Amino acid sequence: MIEENVSLVRAELIAVLVALGPEGPEVLTLKDGCMLPSGPLQTQHRSLQRGMRDWVERQTGVRPGHIEQLYTFADRLISDDGMRGVAVSYLALTPYASVGAEDVGWHRWYEYFPWEERRSPAAVRYADHLRDALREWIGTQPPARQSLLLHRLALTFGAEDHEWQDELVLQRYEFLYEAGLVAEAIEKKCGVSDQEEAGAGRRMADDHRRILATAMGRLRAKIRYRPVIYEMMPELFTLGELQDAVEHVAGCLVHKQNFRRQVVQQALIEEAGGERRSAGGRPARLYRFRRSLMLDAQIAGSKLPVVRGR
Amino acid sequence: MIEENVSLVRAELIAVLVALGPEGPEVLTLKDGCMLPSGPLQTQHRSLQRGMRDWVERQTGVRPGHIEQLYTFADRLISDDGMRGVAVSYLALTPYASVGAEDVGWHRWYEYFPWEERRSPAAVRYADHLRDALREWIGTQPPARQSLLLHRLALTFGAEDHEWQDELVLQRYEFLYEAGLVAEAIEKKCGVSDQEEAGAGRRMADDHRRILATAMGRLRAKIRYRPVIYEMMPELFTLGELQDAVEHVAGCLVHKQNFRRQVVQQALIEEAGGERRSAGGRPARLYRFRRSLMLDAQIAGSKLPVVRGR
DNA sequence: TCTCACAATGCTCAATATGAGCATAAAGGG
DNA sequence: CCCTTTATGCTCATATTGAGCATTGTGAGA
């Protein structure tokens, strides 16, 4: 007996898999960059997380490593078959792995959120440009709302002695969405948009880009106090490479000497005993993450100094 | 058309409502303390959060204030009607409100987790006692596992120069569960347990106590860097009352002078202009939370100094 | 009325942590 | 052999934190 009014739903599992490619963080996608791996919960799945892992491996061949639940939401609308959907999204980190299948591939996440990449003055200028566009849009809004919107602009995009906070990825995306500055919003308003470059950043199907934004924000927040960055590093790495990874994820530059100081004194890594020589410059020592401390690390937490430039 | 293998599920919404009673944090329950408010997602619910709010208000008459999603999980087993359940749990904070309905009421959360209350030496002794019981249990385990278990014990219950970390509520509950030291686990092993006091702390139906543990851990972690404590305070309060609230939630004592210093210099509160006099002692100034900063507060975060004693 | 216990409030001081920059070391390329 | 480049080591000013002493108003009881 099923109670009246009680709707049965299809449970959809969606995964944001992140790895560090040669040019920074990349996300695993289907349909040539337009979709995240996903699929419905099935009878044989023993848990939500298992189901998610199963779909990812089936669709892409990649094994998720460190996994964490992101958010669960219900579709706004009842679909054609009268069925409603509940989507459970996950963030998973893995070392970089190549994929073979058609239409499956890694894409730099800054393709989707170019304004989040602020490691060069040129990149910062792009974010500033968007901020101006937002300010212009705010001007078209009801006067009563404008002051609140301007305040929100300052908090999310950094202005009037508020600093840019790298973990507010979702808040910025939603702001741009409201202002109709991203493709998904434009399409919603004007019908199908055939112009690929109609809005800022690359679009995705449904609300997958929103989920990606959630994942980015969560990851950026998390690397500050948990050693999750090591989940994406290869077995051996130099401190320079580690710093590069953090900078790419956080989307900003950090002070090199202070970064090393903190990382070293946390003692979560140990010297592996070799060195790596590159084009020019002094060879760098190789380190490895002390996996034996994983339990400690999960529970105790650590922190990486993600801060401002140089 | 519904695909083969794809299971439709019932989506259950579960709420942990927390308020500050006269003796510390309390949780809103049904069935005389054995259940959390919950109910299935219904067709008319426009979102998961709305559905949760709807159930809470219907069952208890209390309006949830600040809301945050906790975790989503699938039932391990298919139920009698062949249907599977997915449960989405929420944490909600509210000022203390009285309830009228039968079997509905507030219960101190330390009834369920007495070892989490460490504001007196006697309370700490109880946690120590449990730690000893766990250590004994570890002795009965396969020798190969023992070293890992002892390490985990040190991390979660504090030992061998590891400190007790108040936000590890779930980890401690799960450890006790594994060791068969809480009622739910005993029942699972031995069939129905008619002894109410068979295990540590008061039991709840299904995995509701696990959800409560998740909520407690999240709240304890959150008050350190977000001003959520104010969601549970009355309009006017003294710094002493605020500190009391934080201490009750965190389950440990804080240094009074340093607490005030940080709270005041964060400038999230303002003097309300009166004072409150109690039994003995100098009257305390009244403060109020600056609601106008809510946007800032949500985004920017703040932090309360939750630390060790005095 | 005078004292005392009590909580609130104000302030100091040492120990750390953090932000920023200078200096040196060890490679490769002309 | 000099120059550029990256790694590494170290210093110093400043901010944050942990801990404790001192002072101020009150109510209660001698």
Side-chain angles (χ1 to χ4, degrees), chain B residues 240 256-257 260 281-285:
Chain B
K256 176 152 42 177
Q257 296 91 324
R260 322 174 109 261
R282 177 174 173 173
R285 295 187 198 145

Side-chain angles (χ1 to χ4, degrees), chain B:
Chain B
M1 265 297 286
I2 293 166
E3 289 175 55
E4 186 122 22
N5 259 344
V6 173
S7 59
L8 291 179
V9 300
R10 191 176 17 226
E12 185 85 1
L13 305 166
I14 307 183
V16 179
L17 253 88
V18 180
L20 282 172
E23 305 286 322
E26 302 186 6
V27 58
L28 190 58
T29 57
L30 310 181
K31 308 251 178 191
D32 201 30
C34 285
M35 270 190 71
L36 296 169
S38 60
L41 175 69
Q42 296 182 323
T43 324
Q44 79 268 21
H45 291 147
R46 279 193 295 155
S47 72
L48 295 174
Q49 187 163 311
R50 287 298 189 86
M52 182 274 290
R53 246 173 23 206
D54 185 54
W55 277 112
V56 170
E57 292 189 29
R58 242 195 283 178
Q59 294 178 333
T60 71
V62 177
R63 269 183 67 86
H66 169 95
I67 295 175
E68 129 176 19
Q69 206 179 82
L70 274 180
Y71 202 72
T72 302
F73 48 94
D75 292 350
R76 279 167 286 277
L77 301 173
I78 311 281
S79 67
D80 305 334
D81 55 2
M83 219 39 80
R84 195 180 203 176
V86 166
V88 186
S89 57
Y90 285 85
L91 166 65
L93 308 179
T94 130
Y96 201 51
S98 58
V99 290
E102 189 79 20
D103 267 2
V104 174
W106 295 98
H107 283 260
R108 302 191 62 240
W109 75 11
Y110 295 117
E111 279 181 32
Y112 302 95
F113 306 99
W115 57 89
E116 294 293 344
E117 159 75 277
R118 317 186 97 230
R119 296 180 26 245
S120 70
V124 172
R125 247 175 279 128
Y126 180 61
D128 288 348
H129 157 69
L130 277 183
R131 193 183 51 196
D132 294 341
L134 274 172
R135 191 172 282 127
E136 201 173 309
W137 171 78
I138 291 174
T140 69
Q141 293 303 106
R145 280 189 70 200
Q146 293 195 6
S147 118
L148 187 63
L149 285 171
L150 282 171
H151 188 204
R152 197 171 141 209
L153 183 71
L155 287 173
T156 51
F157 279 80
E160 302 159 39
D161 65 63
H162 286 276
E163 278 191 9
W164 176 281
Q165 293 190 65
D166 52 63
E167 71 274 20
L168 301 183
V169 183
L170 179 62
Q171 287 84 345
R172 282 186 283 268
Y173 174 75
E174 290 192 328
F175 209 161
L176 292 169
Y177 190 101
E178 278 179 52
L181 294 171
V182 294
E184 290 91 336
I186 295 168
E187 178 184 43
K188 190 143 193 170
K189 234 192 222 155
C190 328
V192 177
S193 74
D194 39 15
Q195 284 290 13
E196 196 53 86
E197 276 309 317
R202 179 172 185 157
R203 55 163 306 162
M204 289 185 114
D206 301 330
D207 42 10
H208 285 197
R209 192 150 65 142
R210 174 187 302 268
I211 295 172
L212 180 55
T214 308
M216 262 178 81
R218 182 85 131 245
L219 183 55
R220 283 183 167 183
K222 199 144 193 174
I223 56 169
R224 290 159 177 273
Y225 62 99
R226 287 287 149 89
V228 285
I229 193 72
Y230 301 106
E231 303 294 334
M232 310 163 74
M233 299 299 291
E235 167 70 11
L236 298 179
F237 52 85
T238 69
L239 290 184
E241 288 161 2
L242 183 64
Q243 178 178 353
D244 230 52
V246 168
E247 288 181 337
H248 271 114
V249 169
C252 62
L253 299 173
V254 276
H255 181 109
K256 176 152 42 177
Q257 296 91 324
N258 293 342
F259 178 82
R260 322 174 109 261
R261 176 175 59 191
Q262 287 212 12
V263 167
V264 169
Q265 81 178 19
Q266 280 175 203
L268 290 175
I269 59 176
E270 62 191 0
E271 282 193 47
E275 52 183 35
R276 177 167 298 165
R277 41 215 336 139
S278 55
R282 177 174 173 173
R285 295 187 198 145
L286 288 175
Y287 289 84
R288 98 164 46 89
F289 181 53
R290 297 168 65 195
R291 292 252 155 227
S292 58
L293 296 180
M294 270 309 282
L295 183 60
D296 304 55
Q298 278 192 8
I299 289 183
S302 77
K303 48 190 169 169
L304 291 179
V306 177
V307 272
R308 46 183 150 286
R310 251 309 27 189

